[in-house]
Amino acid sequence: MLYPIFDYLDQVLDIPGTGVFRYISFRAGMAAVFSLLITITFGHHIINWIRNKQIGETVRDLGLEGQAQKKGTPTMGGIMIIAAILIPTLLFANLNNIYIILLLITTVWLGGIGFVDDYIKVFKKDKEGLKGRFKIVGQIGIGIIVGTTLYFHEDVVIREFTNPVSIDEGVVETPAFQDVKVAKTTIPFTKNNELNYETLLGFLGEAMTPLLYVFVVTFIITAVSNGANITDGIDGLAAGTSAIIGLTIAIFAYISGNAIFSQYLNVMYIPNSGELVIFASAFIGACVGFLWYNAYPAQVFMGDTGSLMLGGVIAVLALTLRKELLLPLMCGIFLLETTSVMIQVSYFKYTKRKYGEGRRVFLMSPIHHHYQKKNIPEAKIVTRFWIVGILLAVITLATLKLR
């Protein structure tokens, strides 16, 4: 909302100092600060409001140490995260940017699905919450919206230069370029690090390519969203991991939106993608601010209101920056948690069918509960997972210079 106002003050009225609002770094910093202030300053008010509404966590007895103490802890704290993302983004981002619009829709859409799920669990006393098929339908819905927009919208392009951007005696020489409407993405660990979906799926015909692209987008959003949801099982794990991933994506967004940096680091230049740095900064601030209250021992849980939204937003950020093939590495913690559940369930069903008795690979899944069963303190588990997340982020960023 403030972007057009300051743009008018700078361009039309020529008021000194108002031009600073045009800089992405300034607006990103402001978004991060505002996001932190919103969560930390108003967080305890929101927690008290949730507690007064008796929106407390219902805990099933899983035989985990310290589990009983969590009963009654306010949940649905994802409202704090959503507010801390939306308000700074609305204030400091250019709301005419198609990528920002998509991310705002995704935040509200998946946050709404999670809110309904939490509402049913808490107020209707139904531990199952929203039926799984309805969650999937909602995730497919946002996947179709994002997929069709990214494939067909005229503003979603990449810029191809005839020769590299160069700097000669302090003067930036901008070569000829063309903005191309093409379904390309980044493929890591290869010499020519671009993959064209249209070339890959061309044998199926032009009509099938957009359908399959939308399918891929929908699958990615659903998978990462559910991965974050599964990861949200112990204090601070999902929020801290998401903040690390958010920082990685913010770096990619800044480079992808800068012609010089993108050329030097061999990263696809995406016009107007620099605006995503503002959203990513608000995202990071919201996660870190939420940790103020969610770190062990947690004063509030995010619930599905937060976890489904966090994963979905991460997926859409990666898709808009054409870095979705880096998600298995960048979101390695989410992948590990999800895989542990799949292995546990599959092996249990297999052994029950073959031997008449279900057996388990892990003491409990998701895998963070496995370590809890081994009597490792919860805070230590979270810290170790964060360290792994940081290492994965560093490895992901290292792919920038692999040619």
Side-chain angles (χ1 to χ4, degrees):
M1 293 182 214
L2 296 178
Y3 184 85
I5 296 173
F6 278 84
D7 188 57
Y8 177 82
L9 294 175
D10 178 48
Q11 298 293 327
V12 179
L13 301 182
D14 196 24
I15 297 177
T18 54
V20 70
F21 211 83
R22 297 167 57 193
Y23 292 98
I24 286 174
S25 55
F26 172 78
R27 289 186 288 130
M30 293 299 293
V33 169
F34 267 65
S35 185
L36 275 169
L37 287 176
I38 288 169
T39 46
I40 294 175
T41 304
F42 298 103
H44 66 281
H45 295 295
I46 296 173
I47 292 171
N48 289 335
W49 176 81
I50 292 173
R51 186 180 286 113
N52 292 335
K53 293 292 182 180
Q54 296 182 334
I55 308 174
E57 181 76 1
T58 302
V59 179
R60 290 182 296 174
D61 186 9
L62 301 175
L64 298 172
E65 184 179 353
Q67 185 185 20
Q69 285 76 13
K70 295 179 184 288
K71 186 175 182 180
T73 302
T75 188
M76 298 176 76
I79 297 171
M80 295 164 56
I81 304 176
I82 293 172
I85 291 174
L86 292 180
I87 295 172
T89 301
L90 291 172
L91 286 174
F92 299 106
N94 180 2
L95 300 182
N96 291 323
N97 186 292
I98 185 59
Y99 301 125
I100 293 295
I101 293 171
L102 275 180
L103 283 159
L104 290 173
I105 292 171
T106 301
T107 303
V108 174
W109 186 294
L110 290 175
I113 293 172
F115 180 85
V116 171
D117 184 53
D118 287 334
Y119 182 87
I120 293 172
K121 288 177 182 176
V122 174
F123 290 99
K124 302 298 181 182
K125 305 301 180 183
D126 184 351
K127 294 181 180 179
E128 298 301 319
L130 185 66
K131 300 298 181 184
R133 60 180 178 272
F134 294 121
K135 285 185 186 179
I136 295 297
V137 168
Q139 290 166 329
I140 290 174
I142 191 62
I144 292 172
I145 292 172
V146 172
T148 52
T149 302
L150 291 178
Y151 194 88
F152 292 107
H153 198 282
E154 60 183 10
D155 290 341
V156 180
V157 295
I158 64 171
R159 182 163 294 175
E160 295 183 346
F161 297 95
T162 55
N163 48 47
V165 176
S166 61
I167 302 178
D168 185 20
E169 296 181 357
V171 179
V172 179
E173 297 180 0
T174 305
F177 63 85
Q178 60 177 348
D179 290 340
V180 183
K181 184 69 182 164
V182 61
K184 280 187 177 180
T185 190
T186 303
I187 182 167
F189 308 114
T190 59
K191 185 176 181 179
N192 299 315
N193 61 358
E194 291 182 0
L195 173 68
N196 192 330
Y197 282 106
E198 294 173 350
T199 301
L200 180 67
L201 305 172
F203 68 95
L204 296 169
E206 291 184 5
M208 289 298 294
T209 303
L211 292 176
L212 287 170
Y213 177 78
V214 171
F215 172 79
V216 170
V217 169
T218 303
F219 173 79
I220 290 171
I221 292 174
T222 302
V224 181
S225 178
N226 288 328
N229 186 236
I230 291 171
T231 303
D232 182 35
I234 52 179
D235 300 350
L237 180 56
T241 303
S242 296
I244 295 166
I245 298 169
L247 179 59
T248 309
I249 291 176
I251 294 171
F252 275 122
Y254 188 79
I255 294 170
S256 297
N258 185 291
I260 297 174
F261 290 160
S262 62
Q263 290 284 299
Y264 177 72
L265 294 170
N266 196 32
V267 174
M268 192 183 300
Y269 178 66
I270 306 170
N272 303 315
S273 65
E275 204 68 25
L276 293 174
V277 180
I278 288 90
F279 185 94
S281 297
F283 179 90
I284 297 165
C287 291
V288 173
F290 184 73
L291 278 174
W292 187 272
Y293 299 102
N294 183 241
Y296 181 85
Q299 297 171 255
V300 65
F301 300 138
M302 68 173 68
D304 285 11
T305 305
S307 59
L308 285 175
M309 179 274 300
L310 288 178
V313 163
I314 287 169
V316 175
L317 277 166
L319 285 160
T320 54
L321 293 168
R322 304 180 188 240
K323 300 294 182 290
E324 63 270 22
L325 297 183
L326 287 170
L327 280 171
L329 183 59
M330 197 180 345
C331 300
I333 297 298
F334 294 170
L335 180 62
L336 175 65
E337 296 277 13
T338 304
T339 304
S340 70
V341 173
M342 294 171 64
I343 291 172
Q344 187 86 322
V345 172
S346 299
Y347 187 71
F348 184 86
K349 289 182 177 179
Y350 169 76
T351 52
K352 188 172 185 178
R353 184 171 60 252
K354 186 171 183 178
Y355 303 108
E357 179 185 10
R359 300 174 185 175
R360 294 173 173 83
V361 177
F362 305 104
L363 297 176
M364 187 179 227
S365 68
I367 197 168
H368 56 257
H369 288 323
H370 169 80
Y371 293 114
Q372 280 186 288
K373 283 285 190 178
K374 295 182 77 171
N375 296 320
I376 299 175
E378 187 171 330
K380 182 173 285 189
I381 295 170
V382 173
T383 303
R384 288 176 175 176
F385 272 56
W386 286 355
I387 292 171
V388 173
I390 292 169
L391 291 174
L392 291 171
V394 171
I395 295 170
T396 303
L397 291 171
T399 63
L400 286 170
K401 286 299 289 179
L402 292 177
R403 298 174 184 263

Coordinates of all heavy atoms in Angstrom, one line a residue, residues 112-166:
G112 N -6.3 -20.7 5.6 CA -7.7 -20.9 5.8 C -8.1 -22.4 6.0 O -8.9 -22.8 6.8
I113 N -7.4 -23.2 5.1 CA -7.7 -24.7 5.2 C -7.2 -25.2 6.6 O -7.9 -26.0 7.3 CB -6.9 -25.4 4.1 CG1 -7.5 -25.1 2.8 CG2 -7.0 -26.9 4.3 CD1 -6.7 -25.6 1.6
G114 N -6.0 -24.7 7.0 CA -5.5 -25.1 8.3 C -6.3 -24.6 9.5 O -6.5 -25.3 10.5
F115 N -6.9 -23.4 9.3 CA -7.7 -22.9 10.4 C -9.0 -23.7 10.5 O -9.4 -24.0 11.7 CB -8.1 -21.4 10.0 CG -9.0 -20.8 11.0 CD1 -8.5 -20.1 12.1 CD2 -10.4 -20.8 10.9 CE1 -9.3 -19.5 13.1 CE2 -11.2 -20.2 11.8 CZ -10.7 -19.5 12.9
V116 N -9.6 -24.1 9.4 CA -10.8 -25.0 9.5 C -10.5 -26.3 10.2 O -11.2 -26.8 11.0 CB -11.4 -25.2 8.1 CG1 -12.5 -26.3 8.1 CG2 -11.9 -23.9 7.5
D117 N -9.3 -26.9 9.9 CA -8.9 -28.1 10.5 C -8.7 -28.0 12.0 O -9.2 -28.8 12.8 CB -7.6 -28.5 9.8 CG -7.1 -29.9 10.3 OD1 -7.9 -30.9 10.3 OD2 -5.9 -30.0 10.8
D118 N -8.0 -26.9 12.4 CA -7.8 -26.6 13.8 C -9.2 -26.3 14.5 O -9.4 -26.8 15.7 CB -6.9 -25.4 14.0 CG -5.4 -25.8 13.7 OD1 -5.1 -27.0 13.8 OD2 -4.7 -24.9 13.3
Y119 N -10.0 -25.6 13.9 CA -11.3 -25.3 14.4 C -12.1 -26.5 14.7 O -12.7 -26.7 15.8 CB -12.1 -24.4 13.5 CG -13.5 -23.9 14.0 CD1 -13.6 -22.8 14.8 CD2 -14.6 -24.6 13.8 CE1 -14.8 -22.4 15.3 CE2 -15.8 -24.2 14.3 CZ -15.9 -23.1 15.0 OH -17.1 -22.7 15.5
I120 N -12.1 -27.5 13.8 CA -12.9 -28.7 14.0 C -12.3 -29.5 15.2 O -13.0 -30.1 16.0 CB -12.9 -29.6 12.7 CG1 -13.7 -28.8 11.6 CG2 -13.5 -30.9 13.0 CD1 -13.6 -29.5 10.3
K121 N -10.9 -29.5 15.2 CA -10.3 -30.3 16.3 C -10.6 -29.7 17.7 O -10.9 -30.4 18.6 CB -8.8 -30.3 16.1 CG -8.3 -31.1 14.9 CD -6.8 -31.0 14.8 CE -6.3 -31.8 13.6 NZ -4.8 -31.6 13.4
V122 N -10.5 -28.4 17.8 CA -10.6 -27.7 19.1 C -12.1 -27.5 19.5 O -12.4 -27.9 20.6 CB -9.9 -26.3 19.0 CG1 -10.1 -25.6 20.3 CG2 -8.4 -26.6 18.8
F123 N -12.9 -26.9 18.6 CA -14.3 -26.6 19.0 C -15.3 -27.7 18.8 O -16.2 -27.8 19.6 CB -14.7 -25.3 18.2 CG -14.0 -24.1 18.6 CD1 -12.9 -23.6 17.9 CD2 -14.3 -23.4 19.8 CE1 -12.3 -22.4 18.2 CE2 -13.7 -22.2 20.2 CZ -12.6 -21.8 19.4
K124 N -15.0 -28.5 17.8 CA -15.9 -29.7 17.6 C -15.4 -30.9 18.3 O -16.1 -32.0 18.3 CB -16.0 -30.0 16.1 CG -16.6 -28.8 15.3 CD -18.0 -28.4 15.7 CE -18.5 -27.2 14.8 NZ -19.8 -26.8 15.2
K125 N -14.3 -30.8 19.0 CA -13.7 -31.9 19.7 C -13.5 -33.2 18.9 O -13.7 -34.3 19.3 CB -14.6 -32.3 21.0 CG -14.8 -31.1 21.9 CD -13.6 -30.5 22.4 CE -13.9 -29.3 23.3 NZ -12.6 -28.6 23.8
D126 N -13.2 -33.0 17.6 CA -12.9 -34.1 16.7 C -11.4 -34.1 16.4 O -10.9 -33.3 15.7 CB -13.7 -33.9 15.4 CG -13.6 -35.0 14.4 OD1 -12.7 -35.9 14.7 OD2 -14.3 -35.0 13.4
K127 N -10.8 -35.1 17.0 CA -9.3 -35.2 16.9 C -8.8 -35.4 15.5 O -7.7 -35.1 15.2 CB -8.8 -36.4 17.8 CG -9.0 -36.2 19.3 CD -8.5 -37.3 20.1 CE -8.7 -37.1 21.6 NZ -8.2 -38.2 22.3
E128 N -9.7 -35.9 14.6 CA -9.3 -36.1 13.2 C -9.2 -34.8 12.4 O -8.6 -34.7 11.4 CB -10.2 -37.1 12.5 CG -10.2 -38.5 13.1 CD -8.9 -39.1 13.1 OE1 -8.2 -39.0 12.1 OE2 -8.5 -39.8 14.1
G129 N -10.0 -33.8 12.9 CA -10.0 -32.5 12.2 C -10.7 -32.6 10.8 O -11.6 -33.4 10.6
L130 N -10.3 -31.7 9.9 CA -10.8 -31.7 8.6 C -10.4 -33.0 7.9 O -9.3 -33.4 7.9 CB -10.3 -30.5 7.8 CG -10.8 -30.2 6.4 CD1 -12.3 -29.9 6.5 CD2 -10.0 -29.1 5.7
K131 N -11.4 -33.6 7.2 CA -11.1 -34.9 6.5 C -10.0 -34.7 5.5 O -9.9 -33.7 4.8 CB -12.4 -35.4 5.8 CG -13.5 -35.7 6.7 CD -13.2 -36.7 7.7 CE -14.4 -37.0 8.7 NZ -14.1 -38.0 9.7
G132 N -9.1 -35.7 5.4 CA -8.0 -35.6 4.5 C -8.3 -35.3 3.1 O -7.6 -34.5 2.4
R133 N -9.4 -35.8 2.6 CA -9.8 -35.6 1.2 C -10.1 -34.1 1.0 O -9.9 -33.6 -0.1 CB -11.0 -36.5 0.8 CG -12.3 -36.3 1.6 CD -13.4 -37.2 1.1 NE -14.6 -37.1 1.8 CZ -14.9 -37.8 2.9 NH1 -14.0 -38.6 3.4 NH2 -16.0 -37.6 3.6
F134 N -10.7 -33.4 2.0 CA -11.0 -32.0 1.8 C -9.7 -31.2 1.8 O -9.6 -30.2 1.1 CB -12.0 -31.6 2.9 CG -13.3 -32.2 2.8 CD1 -13.8 -32.9 3.9 CD2 -14.1 -32.1 1.7 CE1 -15.1 -33.5 3.8 CE2 -15.3 -32.6 1.6 CZ -15.8 -33.4 2.7
K135 N -8.7 -31.6 2.6 CA -7.5 -30.9 2.6 C -6.8 -31.0 1.3 O -6.3 -30.0 0.7 CB -6.5 -31.5 3.7 CG -6.8 -31.1 5.1 CD -5.7 -31.7 6.0 CE -6.0 -31.5 7.5 NZ -5.0 -32.1 8.3
I136 N -6.8 -32.2 0.7 CA -6.2 -32.5 -0.6 C -6.9 -31.7 -1.7 O -6.3 -31.1 -2.5 CB -6.3 -34.0 -0.9 CG1 -5.4 -34.8 0.0 CG2 -5.8 -34.2 -2.4 CD1 -3.9 -34.4 0.0
V137 N -8.2 -31.6 -1.6 CA -9.0 -30.8 -2.6 C -8.6 -29.3 -2.5 O -8.4 -28.7 -3.5 CB -10.5 -31.0 -2.4 CG1 -11.3 -29.9 -3.2 CG2 -11.0 -32.4 -2.8
G138 N -8.4 -28.8 -1.3 CA -8.0 -27.4 -1.1 C -6.6 -27.2 -1.7 O -6.3 -26.2 -2.3
Q139 N -5.7 -28.1 -1.4 CA -4.3 -28.0 -1.9 C -4.3 -28.1 -3.4 O -3.5 -27.4 -4.1 CB -3.4 -29.1 -1.2 CG -3.2 -28.8 0.2 CD -2.6 -30.0 1.0 OE1 -2.9 -31.2 0.6 NE2 -1.8 -29.8 2.0
I140 N -5.1 -29.0 -4.0 CA -5.2 -29.1 -5.4 C -5.7 -27.8 -6.0 O -5.2 -27.3 -7.1 CB -6.1 -30.3 -5.8 CG1 -5.4 -31.6 -5.5 CG2 -6.4 -30.2 -7.3 CD1 -6.2 -32.8 -5.7
G141 N -6.7 -27.2 -5.3 CA -7.3 -25.9 -5.8 C -6.2 -24.8 -5.9 O -6.1 -24.2 -7.0
I142 N -5.4 -24.7 -4.9 CA -4.4 -23.6 -5.0 C -3.3 -24.0 -6.0 O -2.7 -23.1 -6.6 CB -3.8 -23.3 -3.6 CG1 -2.9 -22.0 -3.6 CG2 -3.0 -24.5 -3.0 CD1 -3.7 -20.8 -4.0
G143 N -3.0 -25.3 -6.1 CA -2.1 -25.8 -7.1 C -2.5 -25.4 -8.5 O -1.6 -25.0 -9.3
I144 N -3.8 -25.6 -8.8 CA -4.3 -25.2 -10.1 C -4.2 -23.7 -10.4 O -3.8 -23.3 -11.5 CB -5.7 -25.7 -10.3 CG1 -5.8 -27.3 -10.3 CG2 -6.4 -25.2 -11.5 CD1 -7.2 -27.8 -10.2
I145 N -4.5 -22.9 -9.4 CA -4.4 -21.5 -9.5 C -3.0 -21.0 -9.8 O -2.7 -20.3 -10.7 CB -5.0 -20.8 -8.3 CG1 -6.5 -21.0 -8.1 CG2 -4.6 -19.3 -8.3 CD1 -7.1 -20.5 -6.8
V146 N -2.0 -21.6 -9.0 CA -0.6 -21.2 -9.1 C -0.1 -21.7 -10.5 O 0.6 -21.0 -11.2 CB 0.2 -21.7 -7.9 CG1 1.7 -21.5 -8.2 CG2 -0.2 -21.1 -6.6
G147 N -0.4 -23.0 -10.8 CA 0.2 -23.6 -12.0 C -0.3 -22.9 -13.3 O 0.5 -22.6 -14.1
T148 N -1.6 -22.6 -13.4 CA -2.1 -22.0 -14.6 C -1.6 -20.5 -14.7 O -1.3 -20.1 -15.8 CB -3.6 -22.0 -14.6 OG1 -4.1 -21.4 -13.3 CG2 -4.2 -23.4 -14.7
T149 N -1.5 -19.8 -13.5 CA -1.0 -18.5 -13.6 C 0.5 -18.4 -14.0 O 0.9 -17.6 -14.9 CB -1.1 -17.8 -12.2 OG1 -2.5 -17.8 -11.8 CG2 -0.6 -16.4 -12.2
L150 N 1.3 -19.3 -13.4 CA 2.7 -19.3 -13.8 C 2.9 -19.7 -15.3 O 3.9 -19.2 -15.9 CB 3.5 -20.2 -12.9 CG 3.7 -19.8 -11.4 CD1 4.4 -20.9 -10.7 CD2 4.4 -18.5 -11.3
Y151 N 2.1 -20.5 -15.8 CA 2.2 -21.0 -17.2 C 1.7 -20.0 -18.2 O 2.3 -19.8 -19.2 CB 1.5 -22.4 -17.4 CG 1.9 -23.1 -18.6 CD1 3.0 -23.9 -18.7 CD2 1.3 -22.8 -19.8 CE1 3.4 -24.5 -19.8 CE2 1.6 -23.5 -21.0 CZ 2.7 -24.3 -21.0 OH 3.1 -24.9 -22.2
F152 N 0.6 -19.4 -17.9 CA -0.1 -18.6 -18.9 C 0.0 -17.0 -18.7 O -0.1 -16.3 -19.7 CB -1.6 -18.9 -18.9 CG -1.9 -20.3 -19.4 CD1 -2.3 -21.3 -18.6 CD2 -1.7 -20.6 -20.8 CE1 -2.6 -22.6 -19.1 CE2 -2.0 -21.9 -21.3 CZ -2.4 -22.9 -20.4
H153 N 0.3 -16.6 -17.5 CA 0.3 -15.1 -17.3 C 1.4 -14.4 -18.0 O 2.6 -14.9 -18.0 CB 0.4 -14.8 -15.8 CG 0.0 -13.4 -15.4 ND1 0.8 -12.3 -15.7 CD2 -1.2 -12.9 -14.9 CE1 0.1 -11.2 -15.3 NE2 -1.1 -11.6 -14.8
E154 N 1.1 -13.3 -18.7 CA 2.1 -12.7 -19.6 C 3.2 -12.0 -18.8 O 4.3 -11.8 -19.4 CB 1.3 -11.6 -20.4 CG 0.7 -10.5 -19.5 CD -0.1 -9.5 -20.4 OE1 -0.2 -9.7 -21.6 OE2 -0.5 -8.5 -19.8
D155 N 3.1 -11.8 -17.6 CA 4.2 -11.2 -16.8 C 5.2 -12.2 -16.2 O 6.2 -11.8 -15.7 CB 3.6 -10.3 -15.6 CG 2.9 -9.1 -16.1 OD1 3.2 -8.7 -17.2 OD2 2.1 -8.5 -15.3
V156 N 4.9 -13.5 -16.4 CA 5.7 -14.5 -15.9 C 6.7 -14.9 -17.0 O 6.3 -15.7 -17.9 CB 4.9 -15.7 -15.4 CG1 5.9 -16.8 -14.8 CG2 4.0 -15.3 -14.3
V157 N 7.9 -14.3 -17.0 CA 8.8 -14.5 -18.1 C 10.2 -14.7 -17.5 O 10.4 -14.4 -16.3 CB 8.8 -13.4 -19.1 CG1 7.5 -13.3 -19.8 CG2 9.1 -12.0 -18.4
I158 N 11.2 -15.1 -18.3 CA 12.6 -15.0 -18.0 C 13.3 -14.1 -19.0 O 12.8 -14.0 -20.1 CB 13.2 -16.4 -17.9 CG1 13.2 -17.1 -19.3 CG2 12.6 -17.3 -16.9 CD1 14.0 -18.3 -19.4
R159 N 14.4 -13.5 -18.6 CA 15.1 -12.7 -19.5 C 16.4 -13.3 -20.0 O 17.2 -13.8 -19.2 CB 15.4 -11.3 -18.8 CG 16.1 -10.3 -19.7 CD 16.1 -8.9 -19.1 NE 14.7 -8.5 -19.0 CZ 14.3 -7.3 -18.5 NH1 15.2 -6.5 -17.9 NH2 13.1 -6.9 -18.4
E160 N 16.5 -13.4 -21.3 CA 17.7 -14.0 -22.0 C 18.5 -12.9 -22.6 O 18.0 -12.1 -23.4 CB 17.3 -15.0 -23.0 CG 16.5 -16.2 -22.4 CD 16.2 -17.3 -23.4 OE1 16.3 -17.0 -24.6 OE2 15.9 -18.4 -23.0
F161 N 19.8 -12.8 -22.2 CA 20.7 -11.8 -22.8 C 21.5 -12.4 -23.9 O 21.8 -13.6 -24.0 CB 21.6 -11.4 -21.7 CG 21.0 -10.7 -20.5 CD1 20.6 -11.4 -19.4 CD2 20.7 -9.3 -20.5 CE1 20.0 -10.8 -18.3 CE2 20.0 -8.7 -19.5 CZ 19.7 -9.5 -18.3
T162 N 21.8 -11.5 -24.9 CA 22.6 -11.9 -26.0 C 24.0 -12.1 -25.6 O 24.8 -12.9 -26.2 CB 22.5 -10.9 -27.1 OG1 22.9 -9.6 -26.6 CG2 21.1 -10.8 -27.7
N163 N 24.5 -11.4 -24.6 CA 25.8 -11.6 -24.1 C 25.8 -11.2 -22.6 O 24.9 -10.5 -22.2 CB 26.9 -10.8 -24.8 CG 26.5 -9.4 -25.1 OD1 26.1 -8.7 -24.2 ND2 26.7 -8.9 -26.3
P164 N 26.8 -11.6 -21.8 CA 26.7 -11.3 -20.4 C 26.7 -9.8 -20.0 O 27.2 -9.0 -20.7 CB 28.0 -12.0 -19.8 CG 28.4 -12.9 -20.9 CD 27.9 -12.4 -22.2
V165 N 26.0 -9.5 -18.9 CA 26.1 -8.1 -18.4 C 27.5 -7.8 -17.9 O 28.1 -8.7 -17.3 CB 25.1 -8.0 -17.2 CG1 25.2 -6.6 -16.6 CG2 23.7 -8.2 -17.6
S166 N 28.0 -6.7 -18.3 CA 29.4 -6.4 -17.9 C 29.5 -5.0 -17.3 O 28.6 -4.1 -17.5 CB 30.3 -6.4 -19.2 OG 29.9 -5.5 -20.1

